[in-house]
Amino acid sequence: MSTPHLGPQRIVCLTEETTEWLYLLGQEHRIVGISGYTVRPRRARDEKPKVSAFLNAKIDKILALQPDCVFGFSDLQADIAASLIRAGVQVTVFNQRSVEEVFSMLFQVAAMVGCAEEGLARIDVMRLRLAAIRAEVAALVASGKRRPRVFFEEWDEPHISGIRWVSELLGIAGGDDVFPELAVQSLGKDRIIADGAEIVARSPDIVIGSWCGKKFRPEKVAARAGWQEVPAVKNGQLFEIKSADILQPGPAALTDGVEQMHRIVTTWMNRHG
């Protein structure tokens, strides 16, 4: 049972995932400000004032909206949070990095706006789909198909490999992250691969690019020195997933993002074995 009168009534969302989730819960009327990077849902851009980027925010504009809660994400927004807290605003900053932590964040937000039961129901639907994807992959493997080696590139100069929830969703989708040891590092600077030859050495069958808001250029990847013998390049297995679909640790990654990876990976598995 929803209790819409409970919890914050004037929310500013400094990142997209909480905005998308509140819209899915039918609680968009509580949102008074959003991130300028928001594209999910598209109508939010037309309906809500944009008050922040990712690393900076218009503090005066946020305060003028008189929020009773601000949702942020990660240590990278700590300075924004501190400024708002000093101004007397309630701030909740989530720091979800794994798939389970994303689900935990979704439940907490739903509970805060009096929609715990609906939130759990939606989470259960997402969990069931992830379980179905795992089963589809297991069936392919049982039939003799090989899981592909995948390099997920979050940035190109320097090379930055995928963050933890991306790596975990890739695993569910049927691919094996070629840099699993870097995925556990929460900060991008700790996932830098200084020497591109190390990527070549790990011989990825597929390269998925999501260049954090910049268009992925497969032709640039294919033209990199020494990459001509990389299986992904030789076989034309270079793909883009938009950052809004996979690099936002919320509903997008758990639905559209993992589905796109699953299509890419299973298409490869059905052609190779």
Side-chain angles (χ1 to χ4, degrees):
M1 182 176 65
S2 293
T3 48
H5 60 287
L6 295 179
Q9 303 295 318
R10 298 183 61 79
I11 300 171
V12 168
C13 299
L14 298 178
T15 51
E16 184 178 53
E17 63 275 1
T18 47
T19 296
E20 181 177 13
W21 184 231
L22 289 170
Y23 268 83
L24 287 170
L25 293 171
Q27 298 298 310
E28 65 270 20
H29 60 277
R30 297 178 187 251
I31 302 173
V32 296
I34 62 172
S35 162
Y37 289 126
T38 301
V39 296
R40 295 176 63 106
R42 178 66 63 176
R43 67 187 179 97
R45 295 187 63 82
D46 300 323
E47 298 173 350
K48 308 295 181 179
K50 292 174 277 294
V51 298
S52 68
F54 184 60
L55 298 180
N56 54 74
K58 299 170 183 174
I59 301 298
D60 290 347
K61 193 170 182 180
I62 292 174
L63 295 177
L65 292 169
Q66 298 182 305
D68 52 11
C69 187
V70 173
F71 289 144
F73 167 66
S74 89
D75 46 291
L76 294 174
Q77 294 192 327
D79 290 344
I80 300 171
S83 296
L84 292 169
I85 292 167
R86 291 190 188 102
V89 178
Q90 176 182 315
V91 180
T92 299
V93 176
F94 299 99
N95 215 359
Q96 70 273 20
R97 305 296 174 148
S98 68
V99 169
E100 283 306 312
E101 288 171 355
V102 174
F103 278 127
S104 177
M105 177 277 292
L106 294 178
F107 174 71
Q108 290 177 68
V109 170
M112 287 177 74
V113 296
C115 297
E117 290 188 14
E118 182 176 351
L120 280 175
R122 288 181 173 274
I123 287 168
D124 285 345
V125 169
M126 288 186 272
R127 285 191 183 279
L128 284 171
R129 178 56 188 150
L130 293 183
I133 290 173
R134 284 191 186 96
E136 291 171 25
V137 171
L140 283 170
V141 172
S143 73
K145 301 296 184 181
R146 176 171 73 83
R147 294 171 63 98
R149 298 180 301 274
V150 182
F151 173 51
F152 187 98
E153 187 170 85
E154 195 174 299
W155 194 248
D156 59 331
E157 295 176 346
H159 306 295
I160 298 179
S161 63
I163 199 166
R164 183 175 172 184
W165 71 81
V166 174
S167 181
E168 290 180 354
L169 289 172
L170 175 60
I172 292 169
D176 291 332
D177 183 358
V178 296
F179 286 97
E181 75 280 11
L182 296 183
V184 298
Q185 301 295 328
S186 63
L187 301 179
K189 67 181 180 64
D190 296 324
R191 298 194 310 279
I192 290 174
I193 304 159
D195 186 356
E198 180 61 24
I199 306 169
V200 173
R202 300 201 184 192
S203 195
D205 299 298
I206 297 170
V207 172
I208 298 175
S210 189
W211 288 350
C212 215
K214 180 174 74 172
K215 184 174 174 57
F216 178 66
R217 300 281 300 280
E219 71 279 6
K220 285 186 65 178
V221 175
R224 289 172 180 170
W227 281 57
Q228 284 62 49
E229 294 305 308
V230 172
V233 173
K234 287 173 65 176
N235 299 316
Q237 296 296 293
L238 308 172
F239 303 95
E240 178 180 32
I241 297 179
K242 298 292 186 184
S243 54
D245 292 342
I246 192 64
L247 296 183
Q248 301 282 359
L254 297 172
T255 56
D256 291 354
V258 71
E259 293 285 1
Q260 289 175 60
M261 288 197 291
H262 185 50
R263 285 194 294 272
I264 291 167
V265 167
T266 54
T267 298
W268 185 94
M269 292 176 77
N270 283 316
R271 290 177 180 169
H272 304 78

